[in-house]
């Protein structure tokens, strides 16, 4: 059933005036995307070829029923707790690294910047700190885990250190941006009246940015749980390492159980994050 335009309204005026521009940019995006698909040899049709489809269906068929032996479930429960503990410990260490680096890189806490341009020495320190944060977050936690597995051996220690370094860089950068983007009048007034930098942060910047900082920290804890599961595939322990072993043995029922635990763990972390954010709001 077609809808006729209202009296006095021409059909041309009902069209999106920017439709030509939208279509043009969509075509440009497809043209630019095509070389990347070719470069990455993206061939999704390989999944349905007979040589790939048969073993895939056979492996997926082994998923049912999931393994629910008491001994296996007990082991999965221990590894689940280890995964959560790895994420939490790594995030705590990341906070110990990120908070001081963030405070050193915040322009609003610089006394010399009150007069306009920051002095050479504080500006140099601030730049070095920012480069350090770039270095920490530019190396993925998976690469850090591979390095630390070589240093400290297999186990959760490598995962904790990997999360601490990468997330320390991420948290430090975002913390600094949040603090610098807020209203700095109260902080500047405190510094001009002889207050120390720590007091200016606690009474000037933190009250107005505390909710946003906490919300982002909780979100990163949720991401750390996912990362700690992935780090297990390189020997950092936890559920990921057990899933890697089950997949290498082509034990689909164990893989199915661990995947269900993965989903439940991510769902629980998401619920806890949402609850905390709601409390902060």
């Amino acid at each position: 059933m077609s809808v006729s335009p209202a009296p006095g309204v021409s059909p041309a005026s009902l069209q999106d005036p920017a439709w030509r521009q939208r279509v043009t940019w969509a075509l440009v995006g497809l043209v630019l995307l095509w070389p990347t698909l070719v470069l990455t040899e993206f061939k999704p049709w390989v999944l349905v070829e007979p040589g790939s489809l048969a073993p895939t269906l056979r492996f997926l068929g082994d998923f049912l029923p999931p393994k629910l032996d008491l001994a296996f479930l007990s082991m999965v429960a221990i590894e689940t707790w280890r995964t959560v503990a790895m994420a939490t410990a790594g995030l705590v260490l990341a906070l110990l690294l990120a908070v001081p680096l963030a405070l050193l890189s915040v322009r609003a806490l610089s006394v010399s910047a009150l007069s306009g341009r920051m002095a050479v020495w504080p500006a140099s320190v601030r730049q070095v700190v920012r480069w350090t944060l770039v270095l920490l977050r530019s190396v993925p936690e998976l690469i850090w885990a591979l390095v630390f597995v070589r240093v400290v051996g297999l186990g959760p220690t490598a995962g904790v250190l990997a999360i601490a370094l990468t997330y320390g860089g991420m948290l430090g950068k975002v913390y600094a941006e949040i603090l610098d983007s807020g209203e700095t009048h109260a902080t500047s007034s405190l510094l001009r009246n002889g207050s120390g930098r720590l007091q200016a942060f606690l009474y000037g910047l933190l009250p107005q940015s505390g909710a946003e900082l906490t919300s982002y920290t909780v979100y990163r804890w949720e991401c750390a749980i996912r990362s700690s599961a992935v780090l297990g595939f390189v020997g950092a322990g936890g559920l990921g390492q057990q899933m890697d072993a089950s997949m290498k043995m082509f034990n689909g029922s164990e893989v199915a159980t661990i995947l269900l635990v993965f989903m439940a763990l991510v769902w629980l972390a998401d619920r806890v994050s949402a609850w905390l954010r709601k409390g902060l709001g």
Side-chain angles (χ1 to χ4, degrees):
M1 176 178 175
S2 61
V3 179
S4 59
V9 179
S10 63
S13 64
L14 297 178
Q15 296 180 352
D16 183 1
W19 72 270
R20 288 188 178 87
Q21 183 179 3
R22 298 180 195 279
V23 173
T24 301
W25 281 111
L27 294 176
V28 170
L30 290 175
V31 171
L32 295 176
L33 180 62
W34 179 253
T36 63
L37 296 178
V38 174
L39 183 63
T40 56
E41 299 181 2
F42 182 67
K43 301 175 181 178
W45 54 86
V46 175
L47 296 173
V48 296
E49 290 182 353
S52 302
L53 188 59
T56 300
L57 293 177
R58 186 166 55 251
F59 179 64
L60 292 177
D62 293 337
F63 277 35
L64 300 174
K67 189 171 183 178
L68 300 175
D69 294 347
L70 183 59
F72 181 74
L73 291 179
S74 299
M75 183 273 297
V76 169
I78 294 173
E79 296 303 325
T80 301
W81 173 248
R82 185 170 294 163
T83 299
V84 176
M86 187 192 312
T88 306
L91 191 68
V92 170
L93 292 179
L95 286 172
L96 296 177
L97 182 65
V99 171
L101 291 178
L103 294 181
L104 286 173
S105 63
V106 172
R107 179 182 177 85
L109 294 176
S110 174
V111 177
S112 63
L114 294 174
S115 58
R117 186 174 181 180
M118 191 180 296
V120 176
W121 172 245
S124 301
V125 172
R126 180 170 180 262
Q127 192 61 45
V128 170
V129 171
R130 286 180 172 267
W131 286 340
T132 302
L133 292 174
V134 169
L135 173 63
L136 292 176
R137 70 178 184 272
S138 63
V139 181
E141 59 266 32
L142 193 62
I143 304 301
W144 283 122
L146 288 171
V147 172
F148 285 119
V149 162
R150 297 288 184 181
V151 176
V152 301
L154 300 175
T157 302
V160 170
L161 293 175
I163 291 174
L165 291 181
T166 301
Y167 279 59
M170 293 178 181
L171 290 170
K173 174 184 181 295
V174 176
Y175 285 174
E177 291 181 349
I178 291 174
L179 294 174
D180 265 334
S181 62
E183 176 58 50
T184 60
H185 177 72
T187 306
S188 300
S189 298
L190 289 170
L191 292 175
R192 292 180 188 277
N193 287 279
S195 175
R197 292 181 179 86
L198 184 59
Q199 286 134 338
F201 165 70
L202 293 176
Y203 297 104
L205 289 178
L206 187 58
Q208 61 177 326
S209 304
E212 190 174 358
L213 293 172
T214 306
S215 177
Y216 182 74
T217 304
V218 173
Y219 167 71
R220 273 297 157 194
W221 174 72
E222 178 185 334
C223 295
I225 291 179
R226 298 188 183 96
S227 296
S228 61
V230 175
L231 294 178
F233 283 87
V234 296
L239 279 176
Q241 187 168 340
Q242 180 58 42
M243 185 173 182
D244 183 42
S246 298
M247 291 186 68
K248 287 179 179 178
M249 298 298 294
F250 295 98
N251 197 325
S253 61
E254 291 185 0
V255 173
T257 301
I258 297 173
L259 284 176
L260 291 174
V261 174
F262 270 146
M263 289 186 285
L265 191 59
V266 171
W267 176 84
L268 180 61
D270 184 65
R271 291 298 87 205
V272 171
S273 300
W275 177 70
L276 290 174
R277 291 192 189 101
K278 185 178 180 180
L280 292 170

